[in-house]
Amino acid sequence: MDLECLKPKYDALQKKYGAKHLRSIYFGGCEKTPKICFVFMNPTGRNIASLSEWKGIRAPWIGTKNIWDLFYALGLLDEEIFFSIKSKKGSEWTEEFAKLVYEDVSRHDYFITNLGKCTQIDARSLPNSVFLEYLSLLEKEFEIIKPNVIILFGNQVSSLVLNEKISVSKVRRTCFMKEIRGTVYRFYSVYYPVGNGRFHIQDAISDIEWIMREEHL
């Protein structure tokens, strides 16, 4: 199985749980043993790759700005790409530019995905029951790409993936081990760094820097 095999499953769940006029957002970045896999919640219509007329890659955070502050601060994004992102309005992203950004992500050896792939109009919260329908598919992503470390953003994503109640404030810089179909993966839970969690972005950066040092990434 490869990542392409998962996309029709995500598209079916988009029809079930997402905005009817928007498309699924999948994943992007290094697909072969990336040093880090970053797992966010679910995409919104701010990602212009969710528009039906978009023909390029359908990867997280296309057409947005704030999350790229985190990757740049971590040394995971080239300066030229970062300042190009910051200078563009969301509608000014082209399919070619999105491809350039994710080529840079790949060069820096990380992978970006969401637990839920169902695009919503806005940042409304989704119930656990919806996210749980995606969990086995996310675990298949892990099996395919084989990341060294997986970073989970926020309490809800962390709790669902690790199958225990997680409060990020209480488990900062704690490594969780979880076996998935015979392979043990290393997880860390960090603050969600955008939207309502924007005021925690420096904490997220500090913790990820520590993780990268501790894990020799």
Side-chain angles (χ1 to χ4, degrees):
M1 176 177 286
D2 60 19
L3 290 171
E4 288 297 315
C5 295
L6 302 178
K7 292 180 179 179
K9 301 178 188 296
Y10 289 138
D11 290 341
L13 287 169
Q14 172 70 24
K15 292 178 181 178
K16 188 174 181 181
Y17 296 117
K20 303 306 179 187
H21 66 290
L22 298 176
R23 299 280 301 276
S24 295
I25 295 298
Y26 307 122
F27 33 65
C30 178
E31 298 180 0
K32 294 183 179 179
T33 59
K35 60 184 179 183
I36 306 174
C37 172
F38 292 100
V39 184
F40 294 90
M41 292 180 69
N42 61 280
T44 74
R46 288 190 61 203
N47 186 324
I48 65 169
S50 65
L51 301 176
S52 59
E53 59 266 27
W54 181 269
K55 304 302 181 186
I57 60 171
R58 296 186 184 274
W61 305 110
I62 291 175
T64 70
K65 292 184 180 183
N66 289 343
I67 193 59
W68 302 104
D69 294 346
L70 177 138
F71 293 126
Y72 179 65
L74 293 170
L76 297 177
L77 196 68
D78 285 348
E79 184 174 80
E80 183 178 355
I81 291 288
F82 174 68
F83 284 109
S84 292
I85 289 171
K86 299 301 283 187
S87 70
K88 293 182 185 296
K89 297 178 181 177
S91 60
E92 293 174 339
W93 281 59
T94 63
E95 294 158 5
E96 293 75 18
F97 182 67
K99 183 172 181 286
L100 282 176
V101 170
Y102 269 89
E103 285 174 349
D104 191 75
V105 170
S106 295
R107 282 195 298 273
H108 284 87
D109 201 14
Y110 62 105
F111 185 83
I112 306 173
T113 190
N114 290 295
L115 171 53
K117 308 301 195 287
C118 50
T119 308
Q120 306 294 313
I121 296 171
D122 51 28
R124 66 191 65 187
S125 60
L126 293 175
N128 288 350
S129 59
V130 173
F131 282 123
L132 286 171
E133 290 210 38
Y134 284 92
L135 183 56
S136 64
L137 294 171
L138 179 68
E139 290 177 346
K140 287 180 181 177
E141 288 182 35
F142 299 155
E143 289 183 78
I144 292 166
I145 68 170
K146 298 177 174 59
N148 287 291
V149 168
I150 299 165
I151 292 180
L152 307 170
F153 287 103
N155 296 340
Q156 187 177 21
V157 169
S158 299
S159 297
L160 293 171
V161 173
L162 296 174
N163 194 31
E164 61 178 281
K165 187 169 180 58
I166 297 293
S167 174
V168 172
S169 64
K170 297 178 181 178
V171 298
R172 294 176 67 184
R173 305 185 181 187
T174 299
C175 182
F176 294 87
M177 314 288 280
K178 180 180 177 181
E179 182 175 337
I180 301 172
R181 287 180 278 280
T183 299
V184 176
Y185 297 89
R186 300 173 65 80
F187 294 85
Y188 290 88
S189 179
V190 304
Y191 285 112
Y192 206 84
V194 292
N196 292 335
R198 178 71 179 175
F199 63 93
H200 275 308
I201 189 169
Q202 291 304 321
D203 291 325
I205 290 167
S206 176
D207 286 352
I208 296 169
E209 287 176 333
W210 181 91
I211 293 163
M212 293 171 71
R213 292 192 300 270
E214 187 73 9
E215 295 284 349
H216 306 291
L217 301 176

